[in-house]
């Protein structure tokens, strides 16, 4: 018998982590992600594992977003030495993501300890460091989509394209126990069917158990074309006001989609004289990883690019300026209007975007454009929910800039996409919803029952099921 214990992203969106136990494969984690929201140092210090990391035989990683991989350095620090199995593109992105994430954490921790010293408080020890990142990368094993990879004494894992970000995968785990074959499918994060750079998520046919994400189980997105029109209108109106546009962008996936859309506007002669700034060393590094894989993405939009533009998102948008150093980032502050500033982090929990907010959030000429999901407790969620004031760097700011959301640029499938993906399984599997807030999961559960006659489970954190 195999057991799945839901240890994160259970009735919540971030912190993806599920423990799969079976004599056929041993003890295997599906993802090892961090929770997001609140103070980063406090949040990471509070993260604990409900298992002994030394006892884990392998980690199957769906993709390289931090809410799916961010706790790998802690796992290594506490003794894990098994294989980390993922796609090749995910392995390449993991290098960038973990170095940046841990670097930011260590810098934030250093600032926190300076403040604590001034206040007579004890020093906080680091939960993990760069040595742990190097240890994680040394355990990483990248594979191609569709490749059968041996797992444990009697198991196999196969990665299928999830269409969410570069390298993102649907994880299929096949175990053989007592002459019986059982298949578990973990959706990871499923992409939208009309995403500009990604292929459509792979439709699988057979599974005994399916763990499916439900982030947008209660709503649909606008299509990409409508979002491009909306972006054009936002830019036009902000340009008329003499303002600038700030785009909090996730370094992997969303940033590259935004650059592609801005490139389309530029190629059509509709970008006016906007100066575009990518103000995120991590997003710059990730974009260059995308460039190396761009021809392999094979989406309709990529195939339609000319050969010259297909080689690089940077050449597709020649007005793009890359801000790598702190000095280059600060220099953007001297531009009073006509700047499109793409900066991390996507949920505004840290990174350079908060510094740009400090300079511009109080000016009604400016606009903030959100391009993806904002988790509860994050600054991004507070702004989207309509706050009138916000605290940045221990100072209060009145929010006067315009707040817009481009829902069509989400990298997640909407309700219709989730329903269609689940409907591909015949016969119907045992279905479990993960990676979603309770409201979204309740709506999706009702839809699955009404339209497909499928009864689904919504486990709480710490709950287990046997199959």
């Amino acid at each position: 018998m195999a057991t799945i214990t839901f240890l994160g992203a259970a009735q919540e969106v971030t912190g993806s982590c599920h423990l799969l136990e079976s004599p056929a494969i041993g003890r295997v984690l599906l993802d090892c992600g961090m929770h997001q929201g609140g103070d980063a140092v406090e949040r990471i210090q509070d993260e604990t594992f409900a298992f002994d990391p030394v006892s884990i035989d392998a980690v199957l990683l769906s993709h390289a977003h931090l809410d799916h991989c961010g706790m790998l350095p802690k796992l290594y620090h506490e003794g894990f030495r098994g294989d980390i199995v993922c796609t090749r593109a995910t392995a390449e992105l993991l290098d960038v993501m973990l170095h940046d994430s841990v670097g930011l954490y260590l810098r934030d921790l250093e600032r926190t300890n300076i403040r604590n010293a001034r206040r007579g408080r004890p020093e906080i020890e680091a939960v993990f460091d760069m040595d742990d990142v190097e240890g994680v990368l040394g355990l990483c094993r990248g594979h191609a989509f569709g490749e059968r990879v041996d797992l444990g004494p009697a198991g196999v894992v196969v990665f299928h394209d999830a269409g969410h970000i570069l390298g993102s995968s649907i994880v299929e785990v096949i175990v053989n126990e007592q002459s019986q074959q059982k298949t578990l499918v973990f959706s990871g994060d499923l992409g939208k069917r009309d995403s500009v750079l990604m292929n459509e998520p792979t439709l699988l046919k057979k599974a005994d158990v399916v763990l499916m994400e439900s982030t947008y189980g209660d709503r649909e997105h606008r299509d990409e074309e409508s979002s491009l029109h909306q972006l054009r209108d936002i830019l036009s109106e902000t340009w008329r006001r003499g303002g600038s546009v700030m785009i909090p962008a996730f370094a992997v996936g969303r940033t590259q989609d935004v650059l592609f859309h801005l490139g389309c506007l530029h190629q059509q002669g509709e970008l006016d004289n906007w100066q575009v700034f990518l103000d995120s060393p991590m997003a710059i590094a990730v974009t260059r990883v995308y460039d190396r894989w761009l021809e392999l993405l094979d989406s309709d939009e990529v195939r339609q690019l000319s050969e010259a533009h297909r080689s690089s998102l940077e050449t597709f948008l020649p007005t793009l300026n890359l801000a790598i150093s702190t000095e280059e980032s600060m220099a953007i502050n001297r531009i009073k209007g006509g700047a499109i500033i793409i900066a991390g982090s996507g949920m505004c929990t840290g990174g350079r975007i908060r510094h740009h907010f400090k300079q511009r959030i109080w000016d009604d000429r400016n606009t903030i454009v959100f391009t993806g999901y904002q988790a509860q407790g994050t600054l991004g969620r507070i702004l989207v929910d309509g706050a009138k004031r916000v605290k940045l760097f221990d100072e209060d700011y009145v929010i006067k800039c315009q707040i817009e959301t481009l829902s069509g640029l989400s990298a997640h499938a909407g309700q219709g996409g989730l329903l269609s993906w689940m409907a591909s399984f015949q016969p119907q599997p045992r279905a479990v919803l993960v990676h979603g807030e309770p409201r979204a999961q309740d709506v999706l559960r009702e839809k699955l029952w009404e339209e497909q006659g499928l009864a689904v489970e919504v486990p709480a954190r710490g709950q287990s099921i046997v199959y």
Side-chain angles (χ1 to χ4, degrees):
M1 303 291 285
T3 302
I4 311 164
T5 304
F6 303 92
L7 301 173
Q11 299 184 24
E12 59 182 344
V13 169
T14 63
S16 179
C17 186
H18 314 293
L19 176 60
L20 177 58
E21 298 175 275
S22 163
I25 59 173
R27 307 187 83 213
V28 174
L29 290 185
L30 301 172
D31 287 344
C32 188
M34 67 166 53
H35 290 86
Q36 295 176 300
D39 180 83
V41 171
E42 292 180 2
R43 184 183 67 246
I44 291 173
Q45 299 298 129
D46 290 342
E47 291 272 11
T48 57
F49 295 123
F51 50 82
D52 180 2
V54 176
S55 71
I56 302 300
D57 297 297
V59 177
L60 307 181
L61 192 59
S62 67
H63 64 286
H65 274 149
L66 290 175
D67 62 324
H68 293 257
C69 71
M71 283 294 103
L72 287 173
K74 179 178 173 65
L75 192 74
Y76 181 89
H77 186 84
E78 296 188 9
F80 169 73
R81 294 298 183 270
D83 286 342
I84 299 169
V85 191
C86 58
T87 65
R88 291 169 184 160
T90 294
E92 191 168 346
L93 287 173
L94 200 63
D95 189 336
V96 178
M97 297 295 287
L98 293 184
H99 276 109
D100 186 88
S101 171
V102 174
L104 285 173
Y105 162 68
L106 293 174
R107 287 192 290 276
D108 287 347
L109 180 62
E110 182 179 11
R111 285 192 289 268
T112 298
N113 280 329
I114 289 172
R115 288 197 301 270
N116 285 348
R118 291 171 182 164
R119 298 168 182 172
R121 296 175 181 172
E123 180 177 309
I124 301 173
E125 292 187 11
V127 171
F128 44 66
D129 57 26
M130 288 299 182
D131 288 341
D132 298 311
V133 173
E134 297 304 324
V136 166
L137 298 176
L139 300 177
C140 207
R141 308 284 181 263
H143 298 274
F145 287 131
E147 181 181 348
R148 293 174 67 87
V149 182
D150 289 338
L151 182 67
V156 171
V157 60
V158 184
F159 296 103
H160 305 274
D161 195 344
H164 174 61
I165 64 168
L166 182 65
S168 62
S169 60
I170 298 161
V171 184
E172 180 184 20
V173 181
I174 304 166
V175 300
N176 292 285
E177 291 183 340
Q178 300 175 347
S179 302
Q180 283 190 316
Q181 181 172 288
K182 297 180 181 179
T183 301
L184 175 141
V185 171
F186 170 47
S187 74
D189 286 354
L190 296 171
K192 294 195 295 96
R193 285 172 288 186
D194 64 347
S195 180
V196 291
L197 296 180
M198 297 291 107
N199 296 311
E200 293 186 5
T202 303
L203 298 179
L204 277 66
K205 303 296 185 183
K206 180 182 180 300
D208 296 287
V209 179
V210 173
L211 313 186
M212 184 176 75
E213 71 124 317
S214 51
T215 311
Y216 288 102
D218 59 342
R219 73 197 94 162
E220 292 290 2
H221 303 303
R222 300 179 66 168
D223 59 50
E224 293 267 346
E225 186 175 353
S226 297
S227 293
L228 185 58
H229 290 311
Q230 184 187 0
L231 177 60
R232 183 189 294 115
D233 292 343
I234 291 170
L235 294 177
S236 177
E237 181 62 24
T238 308
W239 182 268
R240 185 192 62 78
R241 295 195 304 265
S244 291
V245 172
M246 295 166 282
I247 304 179
F250 300 88
V252 184
R254 217 65 45 81
T255 290
Q256 293 71 40
D257 283 350
V258 169
L259 293 177
F260 183 87
H261 282 297
L262 292 175
C264 290
L265 292 177
H266 172 81
Q267 300 298 327
Q268 297 163 11
E270 298 184 33
L271 199 55
D272 295 318
N273 290 315
W274 285 101
Q275 299 181 71
V276 183
F277 296 90
L278 181 52
D279 186 17
S280 166
M282 178 167 65
I284 292 168
V286 168
T287 300
R288 289 170 176 165
V289 173
Y290 264 68
D291 286 343
R292 291 195 287 276
W293 291 85
L294 198 57
E295 293 187 15
L296 299 179
L297 294 178
D298 201 34
S299 70
D300 291 339
E301 290 78 9
V302 172
R303 284 195 296 270
Q304 290 168 11
L305 296 181
S306 69
E307 187 172 336
H309 291 145
R310 199 180 298 152
S311 64
S312 169
L313 290 170
E314 292 178 43
T315 61
F316 189 51
L317 180 59
T319 58
L320 178 64
N321 301 277
L322 304 179
I324 298 176
S325 69
T326 303
E327 292 73 22
E328 289 169 327
S329 177
M330 294 174 64
I332 301 171
N333 296 334
R334 295 197 288 269
I335 301 172
K336 300 307 177 185
I340 299 173
I341 306 162
I342 306 165
S345 65
M347 296 185 191
C348 313
T349 53
R352 294 180 177 180
I353 194 65
R354 295 167 71 102
H355 293 275
H356 293 296
F357 285 176
K358 180 180 177 180
Q359 299 294 325
R360 303 175 193 269
I361 201 170
W362 42 267
D363 189 334
D364 62 8
R365 296 174 300 173
N366 299 323
T367 305
I368 298 174
V369 179
F370 288 98
T371 62
Y373 183 83
Q374 303 298 309
Q376 288 186 349
T378 63
L379 175 57
R381 182 64 166 264
I382 291 169
L383 294 174
V384 167
D385 285 347
K388 302 301 181 185
R389 306 179 71 92
V390 70
K391 186 179 286 289
L392 294 167
F393 306 104
D394 295 323
E395 293 185 25
D396 287 318
Y397 289 83
V398 175
I399 302 168
K400 292 186 178 180
C401 69
Q402 306 300 308
I403 308 291
E404 301 280 355
T405 299
L406 292 181
S407 64
L409 293 193
S410 172
H412 287 266
Q415 183 187 84
L418 295 171
L419 292 171
S420 295
W421 186 79
M422 184 64 84
S424 69
F425 291 95
Q426 295 297 331
Q428 289 183 333
R430 182 176 183 179
V432 181
L433 297 184
V434 296
H435 206 282
E437 292 181 1
R439 170 180 162 70
Q441 294 181 321
D442 288 344
V443 172
L444 183 58
R445 175 166 53 182
E446 291 177 10
K447 277 285 186 180
L448 286 164
W449 174 251
E450 291 171 2
E451 296 188 9
Q452 300 179 21
L454 181 63
V456 302
E457 301 168 61
V458 184
R461 190 173 181 181
Q463 187 176 337
S464 300
I465 65 171
V466 177
Y467 73 100

